[in-house]
Amino acid sequence: MNKYIRTSLAGLLTSTMITGAAFAAGTHPTTGEALADDQTFTYRILDEHSSVDPQVVEDVSGAEIVRDLFEGLMNQDEDGNLVPGVATGYTTNDSKDVYTFTLRDNAKWSNGDPVTASDFVFAWKRAVDPALSSPYAWFMELMSIENASEIIAGDKSVDDLGVKAIDDHTLEVTLSAPLPYFPQMTTHSTTFPAPQKVIEEFGDAWTKPENIVSNGAYVLTEHLPQERSVRERNENYWDNDNTIIEKVVALVINDENVALTRYLAGELDRTEVPAGQFPRLQKEHPEEAISFPRLCNYYYTFNLSDGGPEAFKDPNVRQALSLAVDRKIITENIMAGGQPQAYTFAPAATAGFDVPDVEMASMSQAERDELAKELLAAAGYGPDNPLSFEMVYNTSEAHKKVAVALSQMWKQKLGVNAELANMEWKIFLEERGNQNFDMARGAWCGDYNEASTFLDLLQSDSGYNDGKYNNARVDELLSEAKTSDDAAPLYTEVERIIAQETPVIPIYHYAGVYMMDSDVGNWPVKNVEQNWYSKNLYKTAE
């Protein structure tokens, strides 16, 4: 077993007596392992991140950077459990609709200013302010913060948001309804504090390395768009003495195979395994090729808006296309990294989620194919009237392989003509968000570990309901689940409705399939959300 799997994170998170001097001796203060002289962690990302502004960032790679630059109320440990961040803890009232967070008194911004409750109030009001148009404003609605929905709709002032600073170290949040998993949601980047005076001084340019002020374990020191982003230790971070990694470098490498070559050449400490290559790499590099469950799904969404294809308004067409997808071929032959087939939208790795039985999952592929032909014929499509549409995905060799496989399956089994189109990441997000597509690739990694983080995407007014699916019963069930003592039956019904109406085609659920240098210690493989923090990593001497 690799050392980065077996080493406990607890020592790094809970010890208050370790000082930087211990690291100077060249050994890890908890494990006693010899540490490398160069504590630089370099990893590959597929695309340029969307932003490093906590209230603007909307992609996984950007959120990874933001988690290093900024720190929210709560963090996660290696198992995904809540641990203190800027807040040392919280209390709630009997009705669980008011949460009070106590902030540590030694938290500072990178310029030396204290981090106060007012910094969170400013950030949260900023997130719901229509003037910012945060792509994650809807997340603040999901948190059930009092008046968030009305403010986002423009019906109330941001000053009416249910959040206030009782004093510099006490933050009070009032909810519109009880939400038992509210504290878990405060690990999300949208809820991180923001430096008001810096934003007011520099405007949109406040996140440039020369301007940015942050409160996390690292500061942004370099950013070359489409090339690299560098963050280095924040000497003013409250727990800087217990931080080992000195520098973190994210390199944009669009080609998975190029990234693998650079990893094998020693230029990277971590990269994703290209589709289909995990079995070979696991044999050749057993200490470095790893696969573990992720809290993410991979799917294709239909454009069900008024401007979407008329054919997709027929659920028989949508279900036929989903039935004809041989997920086993995709997971075992194309991806081959331990990804489970998906017949539900929420993954089995989701906490407290019992994967419901859906009819398609228990059928053989031959039975699915036969039913698909019947449904498509009933919808009026066949050899004399073939179904045609365009499917879009963001540029990636793995995404291309999956898209090609889907189009071939539909062509061979159903006579469907699916034209493929790839787009650069930011253009893809814009086009998908504006419903400028017929069918589009989708993927979602949970913002917190509860089924609603996935199923809420299909709520009619969700900011990321890019297909504009609208089902009153689904909305009702999801709303009821937020205050239910037992939401599982409600989620089961939602999944069964989704399986029947097929607004999306679940393809597979993610696995973390990486090449990871065995010198990297403490990667949180048991945290299915993969909320990793560079401050908890280290590199051992070779």
Side-chain angles (χ1 to χ4, degrees):
M1 183 177 290
N2 296 344
K3 54 181 168 287
Y4 53 83
I5 294 177
R6 69 171 181 257
T7 301
S8 170
L9 184 60
L12 287 178
L13 289 172
T14 61
S15 174
T16 58
M17 296 183 292
I18 300 169
T19 66
F23 305 141
T27 58
H28 190 282
T30 303
T31 70
E33 294 170 286
L35 296 174
D37 292 333
D38 182 7
Q39 290 293 328
T40 301
F41 177 67
T42 304
Y43 68 104
R44 172 259 182 178
I45 56 177
L46 172 64
D47 296 294
E48 171 74 10
H49 55 271
S50 57
S51 176
V52 294
D53 183 326
Q55 281 75 56
V56 175
V57 64
E58 60 176 323
D59 58 328
V60 171
S61 59
E64 291 172 340
I65 297 172
V66 168
R67 268 196 304 276
D68 272 0
L69 300 180
F70 298 86
E71 183 170 70
L73 295 170
M74 306 298 290
N75 294 332
Q76 290 182 358
D77 67 12
E78 63 178 351
D79 296 323
N81 301 312
L82 284 183
V83 294
V86 174
T88 56
Y90 61 88
T91 59
T92 186
N93 60 350
D94 291 339
S95 56
K96 291 184 170 54
D97 58 1
V98 177
Y99 283 84
T100 304
F101 292 85
T102 301
L103 276 54
R104 61 181 72 251
D105 59 11
N106 59 341
K108 295 180 179 179
W109 290 97
S110 54
N111 63 0
D113 290 346
V115 177
T116 67
S118 296
D119 295 320
F120 285 90
V121 172
F122 170 73
W124 290 22
K125 288 182 177 180
R126 185 171 179 258
V128 298
D129 191 339
L132 182 66
S133 296
S134 168
Y136 256 89
W138 62 274
F139 186 77
M140 307 302 282
E141 288 188 78
L142 289 185
M143 294 177 76
S144 298
I145 303 173
E146 187 177 58
N147 295 324
S149 298
E150 293 84 353
I151 296 167
I152 292 168
D155 296 330
K156 286 192 175 183
S157 164
V158 294
D159 292 331
D160 292 325
L161 189 68
V163 56
K164 63 180 177 180
I166 303 300
D167 55 42
D168 281 353
H169 302 116
T170 310
L171 180 73
E172 182 182 273
V173 186
T174 302
L175 308 183
S176 57
L179 192 64
Y181 50 86
F182 176 82
Q184 295 172 251
M185 302 180 80
T186 66
T187 65
H188 192 271
S189 57
T190 308
T191 70
F192 292 176
Q196 182 173 0
K197 67 180 184 182
V198 178
I199 293 173
E200 291 175 346
E201 179 179 358
F202 295 106
D204 291 342
W206 82 272
T207 55
K208 291 186 176 181
E210 62 269 25
N211 300 331
I212 194 169
V213 170
S214 57
N215 75 312
Y218 297 85
V219 293
L220 185 68
T221 57
E222 181 183 359
H223 177 217
L224 298 176
Q226 300 295 339
E227 186 175 333
R228 61 192 279 124
S229 176
V230 180
R231 54 239 200 222
E232 299 182 49
R233 275 173 64 165
N234 173 13
E235 298 296 329
N236 280 315
Y237 178 59
W238 66 269
D239 201 27
N240 181 55
D241 284 348
N242 292 329
T243 303
I244 299 178
I245 293 289
E246 296 280 351
K247 179 190 291 188
V248 187
V249 182
L251 297 180
V252 179
I253 307 173
N254 300 128
D255 188 300
E256 291 95 331
N257 290 294
V258 170
L260 177 61
T261 298
R262 294 181 66 174
Y263 171 86
L264 294 173
E267 297 179 36
L268 301 171
D269 295 303
R270 193 206 80 178
T271 191
E272 290 78 6
V273 171
Q277 297 193 41
F278 182 73
R280 172 182 67 84
L281 291 168
Q282 190 177 42
K283 290 180 181 178
E284 296 176 359
H285 306 275
E287 293 296 310
E288 300 174 59
I290 59 174
S291 175
F292 51 88
R294 289 284 311 273
L295 195 68
C296 306
N297 62 11
Y298 190 106
Y299 61 96
Y300 267 81
T301 185
F302 296 96
N303 182 357
L304 303 179
S305 70
D306 292 340
E310 189 63 31
F312 290 166
K313 291 178 172 52
D314 187 338
N316 284 341
V317 172
R318 304 194 300 266
Q319 194 171 79
L321 292 171
S322 182
L323 284 161
V325 174
D326 191 332
R327 292 157 174 82
K328 185 175 181 181
I329 287 178
I330 292 173
T331 58
E332 295 187 6
N333 296 0
I334 296 176
M335 301 308 297
Q339 297 87 350
Q341 301 170 43
Y343 298 96
T344 58
F345 202 56
T350 309
F353 177 67
D354 295 323
V355 179
D357 294 328
V358 294
E359 184 179 2
M360 184 190 305
S362 61
M363 299 168 66
S364 69
Q365 189 57 50
E367 291 171 333
R368 294 181 198 129
D369 293 344
E370 189 59 36
L371 180 56
K373 294 173 185 175
E374 293 174 7
L375 290 173
L376 202 61
Y381 295 97
D384 297 330
N385 184 32
L387 175 65
S388 300
F389 57 87
E390 181 182 72
M391 53 191 297
V392 298
Y393 59 92
N394 56 299
T395 304
S396 157
E397 188 62 29
H399 300 334
K400 179 180 179 180
K401 287 180 178 179
V402 172
V404 168
L406 293 176
S407 65
Q408 289 178 342
M409 290 173 188
W410 292 329
K411 180 67 174 178
Q412 292 168 4
K413 299 176 182 181
L414 305 175
V416 168
N417 298 316
E419 182 180 346
L420 307 185
N422 69 296
M423 299 177 181
E424 185 270 333
W425 178 237
K426 287 191 175 182
I427 296 174
F428 172 75
L429 285 178
E430 183 177 337
E431 292 294 282
R432 192 178 65 183
N434 291 328
Q435 290 73 56
N436 292 329
F437 68 93
D438 294 341
M439 177 189 285
R441 173 194 168 264
W444 192 258
C445 289
D447 291 318
Y448 51 95
N449 197 350
E450 211 267 350
S452 61
T453 191
F454 296 99
L455 300 179
D456 278 340
L457 294 185
L458 297 174
Q459 199 167 27
S460 58
D461 59 357
S462 166
Y464 278 92
N465 182 359
D466 292 324
K468 298 304 176 187
Y469 174 62
N470 191 325
N471 182 294
R473 179 57 180 162
V474 167
D475 289 352
E476 179 185 343
L477 289 164
L478 292 175
S479 177
E480 186 179 342
K482 289 183 179 6
T483 57
S484 173
D485 292 333
D486 182 13
L490 305 174
Y491 294 145
T492 292
E493 186 175 345
V494 171
E495 286 282 13
R496 286 178 174 157
I497 292 173
I498 293 170
Q500 187 64 36
E501 295 200 350
T502 324
V504 293
I505 303 176
I507 307 294
Y508 63 81
H509 294 135
Y510 273 54
V513 191
Y514 294 138
M515 292 298 291
M516 183 83 71
D517 194 323
S518 57
D519 297 338
V520 176
N522 223 22
W523 191 268
V525 294
K526 293 181 180 179
N527 184 334
V528 293
E529 292 178 67
Q530 277 299 280
N531 283 343
W532 56 276
Y533 304 80
S534 298
K535 68 186 181 71
N536 297 329
L537 306 178
Y538 59 92
K539 293 182 71 176
T540 57
E542 295 183 3

